[in-house]
Amino acid sequence: MSAWSTAVRSAPVAADAGYEVDFYAWTMEQAKLIRDGAFETLDRDNLAEEIESWGREQFAKLESAFRVLLMHMLKWDYQPARRTRSWALTIAEQRLRVGNVLSDNPSLVARREDAAARAYRLARIGAARETGLDLASFPEANPYAFGDMTDRPFEI
């Protein structure tokens, strides 16, 4: 057994460890306080920040699915001779991912255009990298309407 694994296994975990000292112990303690109804002793500021962070993660998941979807749509449109079944299946998969995130988080429907616009900036760079085409070959703004992103057929 290495010295590191011995130290990790023997390290004590304080039940009242602070947020920045031991995040895991802090989360376990906060969960216990909630279950016990000890709301007055909760670390409200840090709990609120963590809850907001979970929400931001859902937006990031939506943005990520749009990024991959849009990158493959650009590759499809700008390199028609290189179209593959894999590209079509990736488009289908990412459409399902977008749909799943929106279904699980209905309030994000109102932010789907924002997520797609943010994702497009990275998708454009990724498409340029993967196709070898100049970045200027691709429009600066997302050229696809939401209906194109969700319903346009892509078949080999």
Side-chain angles (χ1 to χ4, degrees):
M1 184 177 308
S2 74
W4 179 82
S5 62
T6 301
V8 169
R9 288 182 186 189
S10 63
V13 177
D16 61 351
Y19 177 79
E20 279 146 29
V21 174
D22 186 338
F23 183 72
Y24 175 77
W26 175 84
T27 61
M28 296 299 105
E29 178 64 15
Q30 296 304 300
K32 182 179 181 323
L33 291 171
I34 290 170
R35 285 187 186 94
D36 292 347
F39 303 116
E40 67 285 350
T41 59
L42 289 171
D43 181 356
R44 290 189 302 260
D45 289 339
N46 285 320
L47 266 174
E49 179 61 35
E50 289 303 318
I51 291 169
E52 289 168 345
S53 175
W54 296 334
R56 287 188 300 270
E57 285 178 18
Q58 297 309 303
F59 183 82
K61 283 171 63 174
L62 179 62
E63 187 178 331
S64 177
F66 272 131
R67 180 186 52 78
V68 177
L69 170 64
L70 290 165
M71 182 175 68
H72 280 79
M73 289 177 71
L74 287 169
K75 289 168 41 173
W76 186 275
D77 288 344
Y78 285 83
Q79 287 193 318
R82 301 187 76 183
R83 291 176 181 165
T84 65
R85 181 172 181 270
S86 176
W87 288 0
L89 290 173
T90 297
I91 289 169
E93 176 185 338
Q94 296 308 312
R95 284 176 166 174
L96 289 173
R97 289 182 188 277
V98 165
N100 288 345
V101 173
L102 292 175
S103 175
D104 291 346
N105 303 279
S107 65
L108 283 177
V109 170
R111 296 203 56 207
R112 69 183 185 200
E113 297 296 330
D114 181 34
R118 289 172 54 119
Y120 181 77
R121 296 181 311 196
L122 294 172
R124 182 175 175 250
I125 292 168
R129 181 184 58 247
E130 290 194 13
T131 62
L133 298 172
D134 288 334
L135 185 60
S137 302
F138 304 101
E140 286 190 32
N142 183 359
Y144 303 110
F146 188 73
D148 290 333
M149 291 185 278
T150 58
D151 299 325
R152 182 176 146 200
F154 290 91
E155 297 176 13
I156 293 288

